[in-house]
Amino acid sequence: MPEVEPITGRYMKVSIKAKEHRIFVEEAGQGIPLICLHTAGADSRQYRHLMNDGEVTNRFRVICFDMPWHGRSDPPAGWWLQAYELTTEDYLAAIEAVWRALGVERPVFMGCSMGGAIVLRIASDFQNEIRGVVGLESAAYAPGRYNEFLHHPAVHGGELVATYTWGLNAPHSPEAGKRDNWWYYAQSGPGVYRGDVMFYSFDFDAREHIRGIDTSKCKVSLLTGSYDYSCTPAMTEAVVKEIPGCRYTEMENIGHFPMIENYELFRTYLMPELDFMAAD
């Protein structure tokens, strides 16, 4: 008999800043809503192990969606007339639009890399409406990742982006996990990773916003891999210093993509934070 995974997926028509978008959403489990945000240039397949983890899904309704232009979501009508460049404002608008369309109350948001960055703004902007955030590889300010070859006519974009991000994995991580992430990145649309990195390196700066996060209203847990040189542990520690009551753990022998590069090790760090999020 075939093994059928407990993940269901569907498309939603969502209005984001007065533009219609066709967004792919997948989920598994029941309980506390846990909305997961993928990394730059990738898609929600990075969370497939989480959505297949019964110890998680028996308490959490794990919801993952592909951002516009990413994975199985479509770009908006007329996409060929513009270059894709993500801004903080657009990112927050997309997340809020999907969240409101789903109709879930007091969710937990978990994001990695650019998703780990934007959850800091979510915690700041929506702290009265959410249960908490789990930031994976979270920085409030992370310049330096951009380079001009991320979308260049002389370079194979898919292989460049996939290999550029390969180096962010820990050497200890299983090759199968790292290869899965490579494959997802290789399928990114032309210029999409570049557009995300423009947000990450140039547009995003939450250093002032994080000072207003009240952890008595919105729980904050941060997890950063010891081998991450895009968002180093020191960069996350700088965030922790500005948020009283924030929880932080450096994940030994993990890189920038914990949920896909080495899920079995990652879950040993994640489970205590999910317990914390679930506690009243």
Side-chain angles (χ1 to χ4, degrees), residues 103-258:
V104 298
E105 297 182 359
R106 294 199 69 223
V108 175
F109 280 90
M110 179 163 71
C112 183
S113 185
M114 78 169 190
I118 204 66
V119 297
L120 298 176
R121 277 295 306 268
I122 294 171
S124 168
D125 293 13
F126 301 104
Q127 58 190 298
N128 294 317
E129 298 182 73
I130 67 175
R131 180 180 287 261
V133 300
V134 180
L136 311 177
E137 322 306 318
S138 293
Y141 182 63
R145 189 71 186 149
Y146 181 82
N147 76 65
E148 291 293 335
F149 291 100
L150 296 178
H151 188 209
H152 191 284
V155 179
H156 188 295
E159 291 193 356
L160 169 68
V161 168
T163 305
Y164 186 56
T165 54
W166 171 276
L168 289 168
N169 294 290
H172 312 78
S173 294
E175 183 168 359
K178 293 187 285 188
R179 292 286 183 184
D180 284 343
N181 200 52
W182 189 98
W183 186 253
Y184 302 154
Y185 266 97
Q187 296 176 349
S188 178
V192 171
Y193 180 71
R194 170 188 175 273
D196 286 343
V197 173
M198 292 190 76
F199 152 78
Y200 189 70
S201 288
F202 298 135
D203 188 76
F204 181 74
D205 186 346
R207 287 176 291 183
E208 292 298 323
H209 296 85
I210 60 176
R211 292 174 182 152
I213 297 173
D214 183 348
T215 54
S216 69
K217 298 178 181 178
C218 173
K219 300 177 182 180
V220 179
S221 292
L222 303 179
L223 300 169
T224 295
S226 58
Y227 277 84
D228 189 352
Y229 59 84
S230 178
C231 170
T232 65
M235 293 165 75
T236 304
E237 288 164 8
V239 174
V240 175
K241 291 176 183 177
E242 300 294 340
I243 308 177
C246 172
R247 288 164 60 103
Y248 168 64
T249 304
E250 180 178 334
M251 298 182 289
E252 295 295 327
N253 297 332
I254 288 182
H256 192 65
F257 307 101

